[in-house]
Amino acid sequence: MNIEENLLIVVPARGGSKRIPNKNIKNLCGQPMIYWPLQELSKKFSSKKIIVSTDDKNIISIVERIGLKVPFVRPKNLSDDFTGTTPVASHALKWYEDNIKKIDFVLIVYPTAVMLNINDVIKAIELLKSDATCELVMSATEFPFPIQRGVYIKKNGFAKMFYPKYYKTRSQDLISSYHDAGQFYVWKSDSLRKNKTLVNSNTKLFQIDRNYVIDIDTPTDMNIAETKLKLFQFDKFNKNFKFK
């Protein structure tokens, strides 16, 4: 099965970020942030397979400059602070299947996934294809410290363990735990059409090295992302690419 023929890529890029205004197109290593994951995707996929779902004219202008066409403006009801990724991807999938053709897989890539590696994406797609019972593959990374030994602050100001029974348990004896790496998800289209999510679907994890994971929510995160990009991948990029 040809991967590209049966796959739609959705990049959800809303314009209304609060903590970092215009985050998805904020300058990072001399280019708008969204530029970096799109360039990595261009190593395998053509512009015809990518939909940038956005409500922002500046984002539209930037992605069109590098050869992508934005076929629709995301509706206002899918552009607020509370709309999750799944309904945005479902909307893009419906548009694509109504106007182009039916497809089997949907790859969702965040515009903040500046450390995206195309080889990880391909392996995750293959992982989903190889298991008939799997509905979703999510990029994930291991927590740096056992969550079973986490603490929180009570109303009286004192600390309490979430799971006191693990107080004396050695870290190496605890089950490893993971969190969303914030890079990509690969869905089987049937499950996405049914509005399934992580909590009610058969999900496998594609593990990403923690060095390549950064959640960009603050100016400090931006600085860390720029440092990581320069340290690990910046020399691999074409600083002036365009989709074919």
Side-chain angles (χ1 to χ4, degrees):
M1 182 187 295
N2 184 293
I3 292 175
E4 183 169 356
E5 284 301 309
N6 293 280
L7 177 78
L8 171 67
I9 302 169
V10 179
V11 181
R14 188 171 67 94
S17 176
K18 296 293 190 297
R19 284 177 287 188
I20 303 178
N22 301 311
K23 177 173 71 172
N24 291 326
I25 52 174
K26 199 80 172 175
N27 186 291
L28 188 68
C29 291
Q31 294 289 355
M33 187 182 302
I34 196 172
Y35 181 97
W36 301 116
L38 288 177
Q39 180 175 173
E40 192 68 10
L41 289 170
S42 75
K43 295 176 181 178
K44 178 65 180 178
F45 303 105
S46 74
S47 61
K48 296 179 181 178
K49 305 304 295 184
I50 300 174
I51 289 180
V52 175
S53 175
T54 184
D55 60 327
D56 188 277
K57 62 182 181 180
N58 292 321
I59 294 176
I60 292 174
S61 176
I62 284 171
V63 300
E64 286 185 342
R65 247 188 353 250
I66 58 175
L68 289 177
K69 292 183 179 179
V70 179
F72 58 79
V73 176
R74 191 197 299 183
K76 288 184 178 180
N77 66 307
L78 293 177
S79 302
D80 58 31
D81 293 336
F82 303 102
T83 301
T85 301
T86 303
V88 172
S90 296
H91 173 264
L93 172 63
K94 185 177 187 308
W95 182 93
Y96 189 85
E97 293 191 323
D98 286 347
N99 292 275
I100 310 297
K101 68 171 187 174
K102 298 285 185 182
I103 46 92
D104 298 323
F105 304 99
V106 178
L107 168 64
I108 302 168
V109 176
Y110 286 123
T112 52
V114 297
M115 304 297 292
L116 185 72
N117 186 303
I118 194 62
N119 293 322
D120 290 342
V121 171
I122 300 304
K123 290 175 184 176
I125 294 169
E126 295 294 347
L127 176 62
L128 181 61
K129 287 170 55 181
S130 68
D131 188 339
T133 64
C134 182
E135 298 171 283
L136 164 66
V137 173
M138 179 179 81
S139 63
T141 194
E142 188 173 355
F143 277 98
F145 188 84
I147 61 171
Q148 298 91 333
R149 299 184 65 182
V151 299
Y152 66 97
I153 300 174
K154 299 188 295 182
K155 290 182 179 180
N156 62 10
F158 294 110
K160 183 176 178 60
M161 288 188 71
F162 283 103
Y163 306 103
K165 65 181 180 179
Y166 295 119
Y167 176 67
K168 294 183 178 181
T169 307
R170 299 184 307 167
S171 296
Q172 59 265 41
D173 294 330
L174 294 169
I175 297 173
S176 297
S177 52
Y178 303 85
H179 64 86
D180 188 344
Q183 288 197 1
F184 63 84
Y185 312 94
V186 192
W187 280 101
K188 284 182 178 170
S189 298
D190 284 342
S191 296
L192 189 58
R193 292 186 198 102
K194 295 173 184 176
N195 296 314
K196 288 201 171 186
T197 64
L198 173 63
V199 299
N200 63 357
S201 63
N202 293 331
T203 302
K204 288 189 173 182
L205 303 182
F206 186 88
Q207 295 182 38
I208 306 289
D209 187 311
R210 204 158 52 236
N211 286 320
Y212 293 88
V213 174
I214 174 68
D215 185 24
I216 304 176
D217 282 321
T218 68
T220 297
D221 295 336
M222 288 287 296
N223 293 334
I224 295 171
E226 183 150 324
T227 298
K228 283 192 170 188
L229 193 59
K230 289 177 178 177
L231 180 63
F232 291 114
Q233 286 187 224
F234 190 54
D235 60 336
K236 301 176 185 177
F237 288 130
N238 171 6
K239 282 72 175 179
N240 296 291
F241 93 103
K242 287 191 72 172
F243 276 94
K244 297 179 180 179

